[in-house]
Amino acid sequence: MPAWLRFSLALMVAVVAAFSVSAHADVGDQPSVAVYYGNDVPVSMLDQFDWAVVEAEHMGEGQLDKLEQYGTQAFAYVSLGEAEHWRAGDELPSDSLKARNEGWNSQAADLTDQAWGDYIINERIRPLWAAGYRALFLDTLDSYRLFASEDADVAAQQQALVGLIKRIRNTFPGVKLLLNRGFEVLDQVQGDIVGVAAESLYQSWDVRTQSYRDVKPEDTQYVLDQLSKVRNDYGLPAIAIDYVDPADRDLARQTAQRIADNGIVPWVSNGALNQVGVGSIEPMPRKVLVLYDASETDYGELAYSNAHLNMAMPLEYLGYGAVYKDVDGALPDDTLRGRYAGVVTWFSARVGAQSAYRDWLLKQMRDGLPVAMLGDPGIPVTGELSDRMGLQVVPSISDKGLEVLDHDDFMGFEGMPSTPAINESGYEVINDKTTAHLKMRDGNGAEFVPVATGDWGGVALSPWLTQQGMADQARWILDPFKFVKAALKLPEIPVADATTENGSRYWMTEVDGDAFMNRAAFPGNPFTSQVMLDRIFKRYRVPTTVSIIEGELSPDGMYPELTSQLEPIAREIFKLPWVEIGTHTFSHPFDWPELKEGDLAGRGQTQAGFAYNLPIKGYRFSLEKEVAGSTRYINENLAPPGKKVKAVLWSGNALPPEKALDIADRLGIVNINGGNTHVMSDNPTLTDVTPMLRPIGDRLQVYAPVINENIYTNDMTGPYWGFRRVIETYKLTDEPRRLKPIDIYYHFYSAGQPASLNALQDVYAYALSQRTLPIFASQYSEIATNWYDMGIARRLDGGWQITGATQMRTLRLPETLGWPDIADSNGVVGVSDLRQGRYVALSGEPRVTLRLDDSAPSHPYVRRSNGRITQWRNTGGGVSLEMASEYVPLEIELAGVGGCRVSADGASRRGGGNTVTLRYKASTSGPVRIDCG
């Protein structure tokens, strides 16, 4: 247990009751602060705070840079007055240790001993400084009271403490020091520090009894007086760290507000400080812990699990990213309430680690973390688990005479079975806090409930999730959106959205390199690549990401005799300004999981009849060659000056291992492809809409929003015009919910037949008819990746803080939250009220403040554009802005401009009154000024 958790000496048992001093004091001008000492540091939540105190030993490689990328100052924990047992080493000066702190299994040090000061400077702080930390949190400042009782001894220790603090400052110029208490020496070190914290203003944790307590009024008054002096007399931020049971989030919020009302910066967490708590802001958990059973899937691959295939997309639409864990592997042991919105499980049968999983699950429920169970709970619902769920198993359900007695709108989302399938289990509701959404009866008269939700979460048993039809056809029975929102008790918050920006749907175009060297069925049998260049790439001047397969073009590939003809075509394609360069690998792996380093090319056989990769003579499979090698070949041989490969477009089944993503990241290129979104009108089911992301290790694979023409043309065996049906997919993923951008995703073989080429042109015509914001595939990959980790926090003053939305710049606002107050917000540039929802546009600044109002904004704002904000400034009496599109003529629709003067050089105008549309011949606007003064 980190020493930071300790109270100083006699205050170790101190603790709390309600005491209010001055209401509604302002903490807005003081930094927001978080303190976290768990093993797995949630960087994407802590980076929403101005200051974050962390245990450096628990920070992974690169995490410090990520924590500070949006302006957060990371403070590394240092126990100045005690030696922690878990950090002890040979260099520890044992002669300096004078008394044992039994509560924390540590030892108090003699601060007057030169050896102890040397240890702190050289063994504790110098490595932190070398690691990049430029701020320290100094704890256990008054632990000397464990052994020093005489006034002279106390004074000597205090003077040594002052000397050590100043020595730190002198040894590490510019270091920022934040103290935990040390009230007795503040007069002497106030100029050396940036703030002071103290524990247990209202609520405390008693380490001896392992319990949470109210602080006594007199102790509250003492701490409050000291912190008020810090703020008022020294002009420093004053911070109160209180402790509340993780299950009582409401009390944590009330305590944080109570602390802030006194003008003190709050941080309220659990006793171990391994919980994302509540401070001046409360980060909203945007991740859901999704458990699957790897033993149920091919290769143990999460991409084949029901949890990923069926539940990740609804979670993403609701604004939540999935963090996947194999239920039989190591599960997180820190406090998860506050870090995750909940847990979702989808099992087909009992899990392997029954006892360990039951204990882990019950701990989450005791902490108040909601759990949504789908398929099979994985463990018997008995004992405490049954009590918490308010459900009791109904034994021996007959498979004869099953009938549905009643159901609500959680059921029948895409259809309701006319004849119920066999139910292997069901429950009786045993308390009034659990709601049944489906009630059934078997032929013996036994009634049971397969789908229910309660204050603990929810359960939906098979076969009431999806219904299987013919071969590849399935449909949802359960409404996944409604169920998961109710089960996880998801709050009404702004929803991060990666489909739309500035009121326009994203449109991307990506081309896999397959069949670059094929001959097309046109006069003269030209290469498909030449046909694509002449008839598509030159005609449609929109952002287009084009990739090639090195093994199809290079002298080291399959067709060296064609290299001299094919490479010039590739160079002409890549010279087009609106074409972005991608690699489609070296040997086009068709089955990534089957390929191992050193495997001879062309071996094996996929279900579709392909080898595992192209049969390139003499080649042995190498991930480095596939990603880095193909990138180097393109950059050195095909790319024009000033252009480089921007993305790797995964091939085949598009399930690359983590190492392949590591290589792409090392090269500075993004990744895309995978997924299988192909929903069509003859089977309009969301089971055919796959997720946006596949997390793998510490990386994110970005799936293609919509699948390519292979699916629509039966692998180009016919109908050749089939890709025209992708328009159905675009429509079905747009309404009633906008689930995906438009993605025109195809191969060079679409230029092989007149019918397929005509279909492709029809698809372009549809996209051109829509209100879109065209972007490159690399930009979409960055948007999707940014979506996963950007932060949304509720401020104590009622507003919202958005952190890190630099690429993903859109929030979908529930109608219950009202409208953005553009004038009073910071970095909020517009709003579009569409059929699919209310989309709020952001500027791309690292920190944005969103304030809400009951009515539509009257201040100038962007209602719609096909470009992105490059500059935005809210001047109070108006707005100045600049925008740019990607190679298409820029359009900007402004609203709230009634009575204002709009200056926009080079733009034609349409409209008047409260709205005006600016149209440019170019892709940039230059300065646009709106003066309402």
Side-chain angles (χ1 to χ4, degrees):
M1 182 74 62
W4 151 247
L5 303 176
R6 297 191 287 279
F7 302 127
S8 303
L9 185 60
L11 294 167
M12 199 166 292
V13 280
V15 285
V16 208
F19 189 89
S20 179
V21 176
S22 62
H24 308 300
D26 183 24
V27 294
D29 59 346
Q30 299 186 73
S32 57
V33 178
V35 182
Y36 189 90
Y37 280 93
N39 294 315
D40 182 14
V41 182
V43 169
S44 63
M45 301 190 80
L46 298 184
D47 69 3
Q48 300 176 54
F49 292 85
D50 298 316
W51 293 356
V53 180
V54 297
E55 170 52 66
E57 292 288 338
H58 298 163
M59 294 280 281
E61 184 179 356
Q63 283 195 311
L64 177 59
D65 289 340
K66 290 182 179 178
L67 178 57
E68 295 188 331
Q69 66 181 323
Y70 302 125
T72 299
Q73 178 69 68
F75 286 78
Y77 173 83
V78 176
S79 175
L80 210 61
E82 293 186 17
E84 304 130 302
H85 72 283
W86 64 277
R87 212 192 300 267
D90 294 339
E91 66 281 355
L92 191 66
S94 55
D95 290 345
S96 302
L97 307 180
K98 299 302 181 183
R100 187 163 190 80
N101 186 334
E102 297 294 344
W104 296 104
N105 191 21
S106 57
Q107 292 177 286
D110 180 0
L111 300 178
T112 66
D113 189 335
Q114 178 71 25
W116 178 254
D118 293 345
Y119 166 76
I120 291 293
I121 294 291
N122 296 316
E123 304 300 332
R124 287 292 290 116
I125 298 179
R126 201 172 298 281
L128 294 172
W129 191 261
Y133 289 93
R134 293 297 180 264
L136 306 172
F137 181 83
L138 305 182
D139 191 23
T140 61
L141 303 186
D142 48 6
S143 293
Y144 57 81
R145 291 187 179 276
L146 285 170
F147 60 86
S149 55
E150 299 296 327
D151 289 347
D153 294 336
V154 169
Q157 292 293 322
Q158 291 175 353
Q159 199 57 41
L161 175 60
V162 171
L164 184 52
I165 291 173
K166 291 185 178 294
R167 182 182 175 190
I168 293 170
R169 281 269 290 167
N170 292 332
T171 306
F172 304 98
V175 68
K176 296 178 180 178
L177 302 179
L178 175 61
L179 305 188
N180 183 23
R181 302 181 68 88
F183 298 136
E184 298 87 349
V185 300
L186 290 184
D187 279 341
Q188 302 174 70
V189 299
Q190 58 174 300
D192 299 298
I193 62 177
V194 297
V196 179
E199 296 156 300
S200 305
L201 181 58
Y202 294 113
Q203 302 290 327
S204 76
W205 165 251
D206 189 326
V207 65
R208 294 185 302 178
T209 62
Q210 297 287 291
S211 62
Y212 295 94
R213 296 184 177 184
D214 293 340
V215 173
K216 296 176 182 177
E218 57 270 27
D219 292 331
T220 289
Q221 188 63 59
Y222 171 77
V223 174
L224 185 57
D225 288 346
Q226 296 301 317
L227 291 178
S228 297
K229 183 178 181 181
V230 168
R231 185 193 64 220
N232 298 331
D233 294 356
Y234 303 139
L236 295 171
I239 304 151
I241 302 168
D242 274 25
Y243 302 98
V244 169
D245 191 319
D248 199 345
R249 195 69 170 181
D250 287 341
L251 178 58
R253 291 175 181 133
Q254 293 165 13
T255 303
Q257 184 64 64
R258 196 175 179 194
I259 293 169
D261 285 346
N262 290 295
I264 308 299
V265 177
W267 178 248
V268 184
S269 184
N270 67 336
L273 285 175
N274 64 0
Q275 179 193 21
V276 179
V278 183
S280 306
I281 62 171
E282 179 185 3
M284 297 289 100
R286 291 195 56 249
K287 301 286 174 53
V288 171
L289 189 62
V290 178
L291 305 185
Y292 70 105
D293 189 342
S295 68
E296 297 178 348
T297 70
D298 293 341
Y299 311 107
E301 172 56 61
L302 76 89
Y304 295 130
S305 68
N306 281 318
H308 178 70
L309 289 172
N310 293 318
M311 277 310 300
M313 183 279 290
L315 287 172
E316 288 172 349
Y317 174 76
L318 293 169
Y320 296 86
V323 175
Y324 297 92
K325 297 290 183 181
D326 177 8
V327 67
D328 288 333
L331 298 179
D333 58 2
D334 287 332
T335 298
L336 305 185
R337 178 80 186 273
R339 177 173 187 156
Y340 293 103
V343 177
V344 169
T345 72
W346 192 321
F347 308 132
S348 298
R350 298 284 172 87
V351 302
Q354 290 274 303
S355 178
Y357 177 57
R358 173 182 287 272
D359 291 345
W360 181 89
L361 188 65
L362 285 170
K363 179 185 184 304
Q364 309 317 316
M365 289 184 168
R366 293 184 198 116
D367 283 347
L369 187 69
V371 180
M373 306 174 184
L374 297 107
D376 187 294
I379 52 177
V381 179
T382 57
E384 182 185 350
L385 184 60
S386 172
D387 293 340
R388 287 189 173 276
M389 294 172 65
L391 297 171
Q392 184 172 295
V393 174
V394 175
S396 305
I397 295 173
S398 172
D399 59 1
K400 308 293 184 184
L402 289 170
E403 61 176 322
V404 173
L405 296 179
D406 189 25
H407 69 83
D408 60 17
D409 59 0
F410 277 50
M411 311 304 297
F413 179 61
E414 293 179 340
M416 197 75 180
S418 56
T419 303
I422 295 173
N423 288 249
E424 296 183 357
S425 60
Y427 306 105
E428 174 189 357
V429 176
I430 58 175
N431 70 29
D432 58 4
K433 295 182 180 179
T434 298
T435 301
H437 302 288
L438 173 64
K439 297 178 182 178
M440 298 190 65
R441 181 165 57 208
D442 69 9
N444 297 327
E447 296 186 5
F448 60 97
V449 171
V451 181
T453 57
D455 56 2
W456 53 272
V459 62
L461 299 177
S462 295
W464 291 100
L465 308 175
T466 61
Q467 182 183 17
Q468 191 67 41
M470 298 177 63
D472 295 326
Q473 291 190 332
R475 65 176 182 176
W476 278 101
I477 303 170
L478 180 74
D479 184 333
F481 303 99
K482 201 163 280 186
F483 173 77
V484 77
K485 190 166 186 178
L488 300 186
K489 301 190 286 292
L490 300 179
E492 292 281 79
I493 66 172
V495 175
D497 187 281
T499 70
T500 303
E501 187 172 335
N502 296 325
S504 298
R505 190 182 187 186
Y506 288 132
W507 166 17
M508 54 183 283
T509 302
E510 52 170 325
V511 185
D512 283 352
D514 310 51
F516 192 97
M517 73 298 166
N518 279 16
R519 295 290 182 172
F522 290 96
N525 294 119
F527 292 116
T528 55
S529 49
Q530 187 67 55
V531 175
M532 200 67 80
L533 170 61
D534 294 338
R535 301 201 184 189
I536 298 296
F537 299 151
K538 288 184 178 179
R539 176 179 177 183
Y540 299 103
R541 299 188 175 198
V542 295
T544 304
T545 303
V546 179
S547 66
I548 61 98
I549 303 167
E550 181 187 350
E552 288 187 345
L553 273 73
S554 77
D556 298 329
M558 295 181 64
Y559 313 103
E561 71 279 6
L562 298 178
T563 297
S564 62
Q565 300 175 69
L566 297 176
E567 285 190 340
I569 300 174
R571 293 187 189 105
E572 286 300 310
I573 292 172
F574 292 152
K575 276 199 300 188
L576 296 175
W578 52 90
V579 167
E580 174 179 77
I581 306 175
T583 175
H584 202 41
T585 73
F586 175 76
S587 70
H588 193 289
F590 289 97
D591 194 326
W592 289 84
E594 286 287 358
L595 283 166
K596 303 297 184 290
E597 291 284 329
D599 282 357
L600 192 63
R603 301 300 177 89
Q605 188 176 49
T606 67
Q607 289 184 346
F610 299 107
Y612 292 153
N613 61 345
L614 293 176
I616 299 173
K617 186 177 180 179
Y619 171 61
R620 291 190 177 275
F621 182 71
S622 160
L623 285 173
E624 189 71 22
K625 175 71 171 174
E626 296 296 332
V627 182
S630 63
T631 297
R632 183 169 53 252
Y633 163 74
I634 295 170
N635 287 340
E636 293 178 356
N637 296 279
L638 306 178
K643 288 181 78 170
K644 299 289 184 182
V645 170
K646 295 294 293 290
V648 53
L649 281 62
W650 303 118
S651 60
N653 64 3
L655 291 175
E658 183 180 6
K659 183 180 177 182
L661 278 83
D662 287 340
I663 295 169
D665 185 69
R666 187 193 79 213
L667 296 174
I669 63 176
V670 302
N671 80 93
I672 195 165
N673 278 357
N676 192 25
T677 295
H678 63 280
V679 56
M680 289 179 276
S681 57
D682 55 357
N683 187 36
T685 172
L686 296 189
T687 61
D688 285 339
V689 180
T690 46
M692 177 169 57
L693 299 166
R694 171 188 172 236
I696 174 169
D698 293 330
R699 305 296 180 191
L700 289 174
Q701 178 185 349
V702 179
Y703 285 159
V706 177
I707 199 59
N708 56 58
E709 80 276 48
N710 272 353
I711 295 295
Y712 300 90
T713 61
N714 299 303
D715 291 327
M716 292 304 288
T717 62
Y720 291 126
W721 52 262
F723 193 41
R724 189 177 291 118
R725 297 198 64 188
V726 75
I727 296 170
E728 299 171 24
T729 305
Y730 299 153
K731 292 179 179 179
L732 290 167
T733 55
D734 190 34
E735 293 193 67
R737 300 172 184 87
R738 181 169 287 175
L739 302 173
K740 299 288 181 182
I742 290 175
D743 182 11
I744 304 182
Y745 174 21
Y746 56 95
H747 303 76
F748 280 95
Y749 46 65
S750 273
Q753 298 288 335
S756 57
L757 191 63
N758 289 337
L760 182 57
Q761 291 171 334
D762 289 344
V763 173
Y764 271 96
Y766 173 81
L768 287 167
S769 73
Q770 303 300 298
R771 289 190 159 192
T772 62
L773 194 159
I775 56 174
F776 288 109
S778 68
Q779 291 174 296
Y780 174 73
S781 181
E782 291 168 344
I783 288 164
T785 303
N786 186 208
W787 174 93
Y788 191 73
D789 281 331
M790 59 80 63
I792 299 175
R794 183 161 38 205
R795 296 165 54 101
L796 285 181
D797 64 11
W800 297 88
Q801 177 181 293
I802 315 301
T803 299
T806 56
Q807 300 299 322
M808 193 293 310
R809 303 177 179 182
T810 302
L811 303 172
R812 200 171 62 251
L813 200 61
E815 287 191 9
T816 54
L817 294 185
W819 294 81
D821 185 336
I822 304 288
D824 198 32
S825 297
N826 174 44
V828 177
V829 305
V831 61
S832 297
D833 212 25
L834 308 178
R835 291 189 299 273
Q836 299 92 333
R838 187 166 292 161
Y839 293 83
V840 176
L842 309 179
S843 65
E845 297 170 48
R847 290 268 171 91
V848 167
T849 302
L850 169 65
R851 300 191 185 279
L852 302 175
D853 200 354
D854 293 334
S855 57
S858 57
H859 192 74
Y861 64 94
V862 176
R863 177 177 287 170
R864 193 195 74 81
S865 179
N866 63 350
R868 311 187 81 188
I869 291 285
T870 57
Q871 284 192 5
W872 172 269
R873 190 164 69 92
N874 196 331
T875 62
V879 162
S880 65
L881 65 104
E882 293 188 34
M883 301 190 74
S885 62
E886 294 290 352
Y887 297 100
V888 298
L890 178 65
E891 291 188 8
I892 308 171
E893 182 183 343
L894 300 170
V897 296
C900 303
R901 185 163 62 93
V902 179
S903 303
D905 293 342
S908 64
R909 305 182 184 213
R910 187 184 66 187
N914 198 47
T915 64
V916 62
T917 299
L918 306 177
R919 290 182 173 174
Y920 296 82
K921 293 181 179 179
S923 60
T924 57
S925 68
V928 177
R929 296 180 178 85
I930 309 169
D931 184 5
C932 304

